[in-house]
Amino acid sequence: MKTLLLVDGSSYLYRAFHAIRDLRNSRGEPTNAIYGVLNMLRRLHKDFPAEYSACVFDAKGRTFRDDLYAEYKANRPPMPDDLALQINPLKEAIVAMGWPLLEIAGVEADDVIGTLAREAEKSGMRVVISTGDKDITQLVTPQVTLVNTMSGETLDVAGVEKKFGVPPERMIDYLTLVGDSVDNVPGVSKVGPKTAVKWLTQYGTLDTIVKNAADIGGAVGEHLRAALDWLPQARALLTIKCDVDLPMHFPDLAPQPQDRA
């Protein structure tokens, strides 16, 4: 079975920057994010040999989620200057290493990854997604696995259920209930992972929870009923788009010759 290896470059960028203490070249320019990400990419190719691969970044500018919700990601501080200085040299180095690099305007890296993963899956391929973003757990299937090189964690279908208490196909419902503070998407007030898992175990799906909202007692039931109008929008914000119109497809993602110079 052929393999497609997809890397969530935007997820690793910040993690590499913060994981490695201040690192600079002879000209005093910051290089910690560059060093961290390039080492991670080398290790991935070694650990997960793949016929096709791509490193995917968020494109600059607004996405459809910003149009859905003006406060989307509004809580994020501006990118540190020392990280911003490394973005273009890092991308040049990734391409020189032979990795196809993708940025698609109007959507996020997750949406590009989701679209390519589903396309490859339909063609009978195995997909390995390297990310530290829990939102991407919604893409896991028997053919799609997540790996986190920073923590050494691998999540297959059983792994997602063990970690979160719900299977991958219920992760959107789970995230909608608990919210996503990283992306500034509120969930149901006072509802944490335990309550979300309890409800999803009892009722099966978010839609069924909503239908039975009147029967859920206590303060948490009141919070649920207060959030009913918001939940469809939260779910739309947290759902990875898997039908992006891409200018390329997985057969275009074969490794390119390295530009060693």
Side-chain angles (χ1 to χ4, degrees):
M1 184 184 290
K2 290 186 176 180
T3 299
L4 170 63
L5 173 61
L6 297 170
V7 178
D8 181 1
S10 294
S11 165
Y12 279 117
L13 195 61
Y14 280 88
R15 300 185 72 179
F17 178 74
H18 291 294
I20 301 170
R21 306 291 281 193
D22 192 36
L23 193 67
R24 294 179 185 272
N25 63 15
S26 59
R27 296 187 295 275
E29 298 162 338
T31 57
N32 50 341
I34 296 171
Y35 178 82
V37 172
L38 295 184
N39 274 350
M40 184 266 295
L41 292 177
R42 285 194 192 96
R43 190 161 68 248
L44 276 171
H45 258 327
K46 182 179 176 183
D47 293 346
F48 301 96
E51 286 78 9
Y52 309 101
S53 57
C55 190
V56 189
F57 286 89
D58 291 327
K60 286 184 179 179
R62 293 173 62 84
T63 72
F64 72 94
R65 291 184 180 87
D66 296 302
D67 296 329
L68 283 174
Y69 182 49
E71 295 300 308
Y72 184 66
K73 294 189 177 179
N75 58 335
R76 292 196 179 184
M79 181 180 286
D81 291 342
D82 273 0
L83 178 53
L85 288 170
Q86 298 180 67
I87 301 296
N88 287 337
L90 172 61
K91 290 177 180 175
E92 289 173 15
I94 289 170
V95 173
M97 283 175 68
W99 279 80
L101 189 148
L102 306 180
E103 294 178 298
I104 306 296
V107 296
E108 295 181 52
D110 292 3
D111 304 308
V112 178
I113 288 170
T115 300
L116 287 169
R118 290 293 178 254
E119 183 181 322
E121 193 179 11
K122 286 174 187 171
S123 297
M125 294 176 62
R126 180 173 80 121
V127 182
V128 176
I129 302 173
S130 183
T131 183
D133 186 350
K134 70 178 182 299
D135 294 359
I136 296 186
T137 51
Q138 65 188 264
L139 298 177
V140 172
T141 69
Q143 282 172 246
V144 179
T145 305
L146 305 190
V147 296
N148 184 336
T149 57
M150 293 281 191
S151 66
E153 182 179 54
T154 299
L155 290 177
D156 56 9
V157 172
V160 171
E161 185 152 16
K162 183 178 179 182
K163 181 171 183 175
F164 294 99
V166 296
E169 61 268 23
R170 293 277 74 82
M171 279 303 297
I172 296 171
D173 292 355
Y174 169 90
L175 292 168
T176 301
L177 288 167
V178 301
D180 187 342
S181 58
V182 174
D183 289 342
N184 202 37
V185 179
V188 177
S189 180
K190 308 300 184 186
V191 169
K194 286 184 180 178
T195 302
V197 170
K198 176 186 168 186
W199 286 351
L200 287 166
T201 301
Q202 181 177 352
Y203 294 104
T205 68
L206 178 61
D207 289 338
T208 310
I209 293 169
V210 167
K211 286 177 185 174
N212 289 277
D215 300 328
I216 297 176
V220 77
E222 292 177 21
H223 289 305
L224 172 62
R225 290 185 285 278
L228 291 179
D229 289 342
W230 163 251
L231 292 179
Q233 189 166 359
R235 180 157 55 183
L237 290 166
L238 294 166
T239 299
I240 292 175
K241 189 174 169 63
C242 293
D243 58 354
V244 178
D245 186 13
L246 297 176
M248 82 299 293
H249 302 279
F250 72 82
D252 304 313
L253 303 179
Q256 303 300 305
Q258 292 195 352
D259 181 353
R260 294 193 173 276

